[in-house]
């Protein structure tokens, strides 16, 4: 969009949340000449000292474990994705006419380039990574950013007009957007998640729907044709709707026919590759590949480039990531499985004889449905984290009794080793967020992998 950058210069801007997104937003605002203040609920002594020094040297005002006295002094408040926009001091600013927005929206306003935005409850990281690899393989200058790693604003502020920004976007990022308008958007699926923040599935869906809210007829919306909720939302889109399906042949879109993944448009059928050529396992990954292929094809990328990249794609860290085989037992890291649906997808992909390590921050979820699927798949349940007891209660209600509770990841992995037999799979797929014990799911997954490595020594 690259709106008039004078709209930022000399404005009083408050950045709330000093995580990856907030740090990048603060740096960008300082670079553009804004008067920046930073607020974070952490105590100052727990924040990286060099980071605090950097911002203070740049003239930023810092509020640690504190809030500004008068929110009306700010022209704009930029929220990090993890910050609840209903916090009292944020609500006060909104009531006083201060614009409340997020890093994704500001990245779009001040940046250049063509946005591809991908959202969904599950599969975002895999689909975004694969899409980015396809775009890069096609020769386009590509920036992969968003919820996946690098903050969008850090990439968009450096992008040129012809660049492509392939962004993984969460409901938290989307709910604060206003003008955000990607060239191509994608909704992979919508199942219960983050209900402690959004409260209802309707509100959660509305946040996701903002991904296409500003698209027009010259844009594309790639959407899961097998997900009723997604298709109902897509009926409101002004963009060209391109469905994908792993279960049926479509008149238009991406689908599987006799094991061959195919994109069909007005010019005919364009074969990608066979599902048994994929290096990543599970029906959910077939859906991710279909989505990435549709995004890329309708962005104008040659089908051969798509096919070659898809065949060579090995997946992403922390999403059904194979770690090792020790004494005939296979270990998989699915730390990004932060909700019940993601964990069920992982269970289905592996199939049976699973020692499941789960637990953490439940985020307001109910585990009855997940526990009801343990029979025939899960041999034993190893639990950790603050809300592990909720999974235990649901499992016992479902008649599942082989349950072990542990204090930390080390205990979980060693207990799993002790009870596993050759041919079994130990799967870390927590069905919960990591925030009760770790800074993020990556840290949790890396700890699991370190524990598995010690088994090999």
């Amino acid at each position: 969009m690259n709106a008039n950058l004078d709209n930022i210069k000399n404005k009083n801007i408050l950045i709330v949340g000093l995580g990856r997104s907030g740090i990048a937003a603060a740096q960008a605002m300082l670079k553009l000449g804004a008067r920046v203040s930073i607020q974070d609920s952490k105590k100052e002594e727990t924040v990286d000292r060099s980071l605090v020094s950097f911002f203070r040297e740049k003239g930023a005002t810092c509020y640690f474990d504190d809030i500004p006295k008068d929110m009306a002094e700010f022209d704009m408040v930029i929220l990090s994705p993890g910050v609840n926009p209903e916090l009292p001091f944020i609500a006060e600013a909104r009531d006083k006419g201060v614009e409340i927005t997020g890093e994704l929206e500001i990245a779009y306003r001040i940046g250049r380039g063509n946005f591809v935005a991908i959202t969904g409850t599950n599969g975002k990281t895999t689909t975004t990574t694969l899409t980015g690899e396809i775009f890069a393989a096609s020769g386009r200058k590509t920036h992969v950013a968003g919820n996946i790693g690098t903050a969008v604003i850090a990439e968009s502020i450096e992008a040129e007009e012809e660049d492509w920004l392939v962004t993984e976007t969460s409901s938290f990022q989307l709910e604060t957007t206003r003008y955000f308008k990607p060239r191509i958007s994608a909704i992979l699926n919508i199942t219960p998640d983050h209900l402690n923040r959004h409260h209802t599935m309707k509100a959660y869906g509305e946040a996701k729907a903002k991904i296409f809210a500003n698209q027009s007829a010259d844009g594309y919306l790639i959407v899961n044709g097998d997900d009723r909720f997604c298709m109902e939302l897509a009926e409101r889109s002004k963009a060209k709707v391109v469905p994908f399906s792993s279960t049926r042949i479509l008149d238009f879109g991406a689908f599987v026919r006799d094991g061959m993944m195919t994109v069909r448009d007005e010019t005919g059928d364009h074969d990608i590759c066979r599902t048994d050529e994929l290096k990543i396992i599970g029906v959910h990954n077939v859906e991710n590949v279909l989505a990435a292929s549709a995004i890329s094809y309708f962005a104008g990328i040659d089908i051969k480039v798509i096919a070659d990249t898809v065949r060579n794609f090995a997946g992403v860290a922390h999403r059904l990531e194979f770690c090792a085989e020790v004494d005939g037992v296979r270990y998989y890291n699915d730390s990004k499985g932060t909700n019940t649906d993601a964990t069920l997808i992982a269970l289905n992909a592996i199939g049976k004889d699973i020692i499941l390590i789960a637990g953490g921050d439940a985020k307001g979820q109910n585990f009855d449905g997940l526990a009801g699927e343990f029979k025939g798949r899960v041999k034993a349940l190893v639990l950790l984290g603050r809300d592990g007891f909720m999974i235990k209660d649901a499992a016992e209600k479902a008649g599942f009794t082989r349950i072990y509770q542990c204090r930390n990841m080390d205990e979980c992995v060693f207990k799993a080793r002790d009870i596993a037999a050759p041919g079994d799979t130990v799967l870390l797929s927590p069905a919960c967020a990591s925030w009760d014990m770790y800074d993020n799911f990556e840290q949790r997954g890396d700890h699991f992998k370190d524990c598995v490595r010690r088994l090999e020594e």
Side-chain angles (χ1 to χ4, degrees):
M1 187 177 183
N2 198 23
N4 188 347
L5 299 185
D6 289 339
N7 291 338
I8 300 296
K9 191 174 183 180
N10 295 323
K11 293 296 174 76
N12 286 325
I13 296 177
L14 176 67
I15 311 292
V16 182
L18 203 53
R20 184 167 49 200
S21 172
I23 291 169
Q27 290 174 325
M29 294 302 98
L30 287 167
K31 184 175 182 180
L32 295 175
R35 293 194 291 270
V36 172
S37 296
I38 295 166
Q39 191 279 336
D40 195 283
S41 60
K42 296 188 185 77
K43 293 184 182 297
E44 182 171 339
E45 56 266 26
T46 68
V47 180
D48 186 322
R49 194 173 300 173
S50 62
L51 194 64
V52 177
S53 298
F54 168 81
F55 282 121
R56 288 208 166 115
E57 287 168 8
K58 293 289 184 180
T61 302
C62 299
Y63 298 90
F64 293 107
D65 192 27
D66 193 13
I67 59 174
K69 297 295 182 287
D70 182 11
M71 294 302 294
E73 69 180 273
F74 298 106
D75 299 297
M76 178 186 292
V77 175
I78 301 176
L79 304 182
S80 295
V83 175
N84 190 331
E86 300 307 318
L87 286 173
F89 76 101
I90 305 298
E92 177 194 340
R94 188 183 297 109
D95 291 343
K96 291 181 175 179
V98 179
E99 181 180 12
I100 310 298
T101 188
E103 177 253 331
L104 175 63
E105 172 70 12
I106 296 301
Y108 174 73
R109 292 189 199 178
I110 69 173
R112 291 181 293 271
N114 305 282
F115 277 81
V116 172
I118 299 165
T119 197
T121 305
N122 299 303
K124 296 187 296 295
T125 299
T126 299
T127 305
T128 302
T129 303
L130 175 54
T131 301
E133 291 192 11
I134 295 170
F135 273 65
S138 75
R140 301 185 186 195
K141 188 173 180 184
T142 305
H143 309 258
V144 178
N147 206 43
I148 194 170
T150 308
V152 186
I153 200 166
E155 298 292 337
S156 72
I157 200 170
E158 302 294 337
E160 301 297 334
E161 295 288 350
E162 68 277 8
D163 292 6
W164 286 81
L165 292 102
V166 180
T167 60
E168 177 184 330
T169 58
S170 70
S171 58
F172 294 172
Q173 291 168 307
L174 289 167
E175 70 180 345
T176 52
T177 57
R178 184 176 178 187
Y179 299 112
F180 181 59
K181 182 183 177 181
R183 288 277 298 275
I184 301 174
S185 64
I187 306 180
L188 306 178
N189 45 63
I190 298 178
T191 56
D193 197 15
H194 299 303
L195 297 185
N196 55 336
R197 169 84 163 257
H198 297 295
H199 305 302
T200 67
M201 279 296 291
K202 185 177 188 301
Y204 179 48
E206 289 300 319
K208 294 290 192 189
K210 294 192 78 172
I211 199 169
F212 63 77
N214 296 312
Q215 283 187 287
S216 50
D218 60 348
Y220 290 93
L221 168 59
I222 315 300
V223 64
N224 189 336
D226 297 331
D227 188 308
R228 180 183 57 82
F229 201 175
C230 287
M231 291 303 292
E232 287 176 359
L233 290 177
E235 290 175 3
R236 294 153 38 183
S237 174
K238 295 177 183 175
K240 179 82 167 178
V241 176
V242 181
F244 63 89
S245 172
S246 63
T247 64
R248 56 199 171 89
I249 297 172
L250 303 173
D251 294 331
F252 176 81
F255 55 88
V256 181
R257 180 184 56 208
D258 298 329
M260 175 64 73
M261 292 181 290
T262 301
V263 177
R264 174 179 289 175
D265 66 357
E266 297 86 353
T267 66
D269 290 357
H270 307 275
D271 291 343
I272 304 162
C273 72
R274 296 189 58 80
T275 57
D276 57 14
E277 294 180 83
L278 298 178
K279 293 181 178 178
I280 49 181
I281 63 173
V283 173
H284 68 292
N285 275 322
V286 172
E287 293 178 346
N288 295 336
V289 170
L290 289 171
S293 299
I295 291 166
S296 304
Y297 180 80
F298 287 97
I301 294 176
D302 183 81
I303 199 72
K304 186 179 186 305
V305 173
I306 297 171
D308 289 344
T309 310
V310 163
R311 286 192 187 94
N312 292 315
F313 182 64
V316 298
H318 310 296
R319 171 53 82 201
L320 268 179
E321 175 189 12
F322 176 69
C323 300
E325 183 170 329
V326 183
D327 298 327
V329 177
R330 293 167 67 85
Y331 291 80
Y332 279 90
N333 165 33
D334 192 50
S335 182
K336 201 173 188 304
T338 59
N339 56 68
T340 57
D341 238 57
T343 296
L344 183 55
I345 286 169
L347 296 179
N348 286 334
I350 292 172
K352 61 179 182 176
D353 298 331
I354 299 167
I355 313 298
L356 175 64
I357 300 175
D361 180 345
K363 301 183 294 180
Q365 296 179 99
N366 180 294
F367 295 96
D368 291 349
L370 175 64
E373 299 293 332
F374 286 169
K375 187 176 180 180
R377 294 183 176 92
V378 177
K379 290 179 67 174
L381 187 59
V382 181
L383 298 173
L384 80 165
R386 186 187 67 203
D387 298 327
F389 75 94
M390 296 173 65
I391 304 176
K392 177 178 183 290
D393 290 348
E396 288 176 340
K397 194 190 308 182
F400 189 92
T401 57
R402 196 178 182 196
I403 303 170
Y404 304 87
Q405 290 190 287
C406 298
R407 291 174 296 180
N408 53 50
M409 186 66 73
D410 301 76
E411 283 191 11
C412 285
V413 172
F414 294 126
K415 172 58 72 174
R417 176 202 60 187
D418 291 344
I419 61 179
D424 288 351
T425 297
V426 173
L427 169 67
L428 169 69
S429 189
C432 293
S434 57
W435 303 315
D436 61 322
M437 296 178 69
Y438 299 94
D439 291 339
N440 48 55
F441 71 82
E442 294 98 335
Q443 189 183 76
R444 176 172 63 187
D446 287 340
H447 189 187
F448 173 78
K449 290 191 284 187
D450 285 342
C451 294
V452 172
R453 273 192 285 271
R454 291 205 298 276
L455 298 182
E456 297 180 283
E457 294 173 353

